[in-house]
């Protein structure tokens, strides 16, 4: 099973050593369990570093044979995180940038929820959406107002979606909504103008839904993102608050 995320070297030691030294690692372990999304991913290079940091020898001997022959055995942590479904590295370090996320940050929870006030920057959210979409082969977009707010929402195509073979599906604007039809903007000519290997077609997956979704499918995972506000509030000059809930579809 593919890993969902990566732990920093320090947190990997705390997680694996806890059963043997609960007093020593109790505080960090409790913090970790409020954020950890299993299974986590590791590799030979990290296990070697973790052993130097104090990873129990029995844990090291148990884990090393599992990862010693992997093609990712020598990857650094950002490269390793890119192979996981949620593509981030949980750490106790402060002042970190994506793909690193601080264990105390409200950026993450077991459901992976990102909440931003109107005044907060959307830069990290945009960067994370780009990371999660990087190996996508299919995306499904559901928002009745994608076309209505095209001056902002087209940024989803221009700056987020990956430049590779990609099937883009969109949900047509509901007939109960008085807004520009999504099909007038999300056209074959538009997507082909961005990347020749993109295709586009309508979807009935979220038909007549008033909620907003971005579903990202790749060879290793399926992620569904539910947005509390329209997509335009990621790029709008004066946005509303927005919450994005990421969940893996099994």
């Amino acid at each position: 099973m593919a890993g969902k995320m990566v732990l920093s070297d320090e947190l990997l030691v705390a997680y694996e050593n806890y059963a043997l030294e609960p007093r020593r690692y109790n505080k960090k372990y409790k913090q970790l369990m409020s954020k950890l999304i299993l299974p986590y991913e590791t590799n030979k290079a990290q296990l070697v570093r973790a052993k130097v940091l104090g990873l129990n020898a029995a844990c090291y001997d148990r884990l090393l044979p599992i990862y010693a022959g992997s093609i990712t055995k020598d990857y650094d942590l950002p490269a390793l995180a890119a192979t996981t479904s949620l593509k981030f590295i949980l750490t106790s370090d402060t002042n970190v940038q994506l793909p690193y996320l601080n264990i105390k940050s409200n950026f993450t929870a077991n459901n992976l929820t990102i909440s931003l006030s109107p005044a907060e920057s959307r830069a990290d959210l945009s960067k994370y959406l780009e990371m999660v979409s990087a190996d996508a082969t299919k995306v499904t977009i559901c928002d009745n107002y994608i076309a209505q707010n095209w001056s902002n929402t087209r940024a989803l195509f221009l700056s987020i979606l990956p430049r590779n073979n990609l099937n883009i599906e969109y949900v047509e604007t509901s007939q109960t909504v008085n807004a520009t039809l999504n099909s007038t903007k999300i056209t074959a000519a538009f997507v082909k103008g961005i990347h020749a290997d993109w295709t586009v077609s309508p979807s009935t997956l979220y038909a007549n839904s008033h909620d907003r979704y971005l579903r990202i499918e790749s060879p290793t995972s399926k992620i569904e993102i539910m947005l509390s506000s329209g997509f335009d509030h990621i790029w709008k000059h004066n946005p509303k608050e927005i919450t994005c809930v990421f969940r893996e579809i099994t």
Side-chain angles (χ1 to χ4, degrees), residues 142-235:
C142 177
D143 183 341
N144 282 317
Y145 298 94
I146 287 284
Q148 184 74 20
N149 299 307
W150 192 241
S151 61
N152 294 316
T153 57
R154 64 181 180 175
L156 175 64
F157 304 88
L158 297 173
S159 63
I160 301 297
L161 299 184
R163 278 21 178 198
N164 54 30
N165 289 310
L166 182 66
N167 178 18
I168 301 169
E169 296 193 358
Y170 67 92
V171 180
E172 182 61 286
T173 303
S174 173
Q175 293 181 355
T176 63
V177 175
N178 183 21
T180 305
L181 295 178
N182 288 337
S183 55
T184 64
K185 296 295 185 181
I186 311 175
T187 64
F190 172 72
V191 302
K192 291 288 187 184
I194 297 174
H195 196 277
D197 293 325
W198 283 5
T199 63
V200 65
S201 59
S203 172
T204 59
L205 183 61
Y206 301 103
N208 298 314
S209 173
H210 289 272
D211 295 320
R212 281 75 50 175
Y213 295 95
L214 177 63
R215 182 182 173 112
I216 301 168
E217 302 181 41
S218 75
T220 58
S221 66
K222 293 181 181 180
I223 303 294
E224 182 185 76
I225 306 162
M226 184 176 72
L227 295 82
S228 66
S229 302
F231 279 85
D232 63 314
H233 291 283
I234 301 175
W235 297 282

Side-chain angles (χ1 to χ4, degrees), residues 75-117:
Y75 284 14
D76 63 16
L77 292 189
L80 185 62
T83 70
T84 67
S85 58
L86 294 174
K87 306 187 189 305
F88 71 89
I89 305 159
L90 199 59
T91 180
S92 57
D93 292 342
T94 56
N95 298 319
V96 292
Q97 295 182 331
L98 286 166
Y100 291 89
L101 294 173
N102 182 268
I103 196 171
K104 295 181 180 179
S105 171
N106 60 7
F107 199 100
T108 62
N110 282 339
N111 284 332
L112 195 59
T113 301
I114 301 172
S115 295
L116 298 171
S117 71

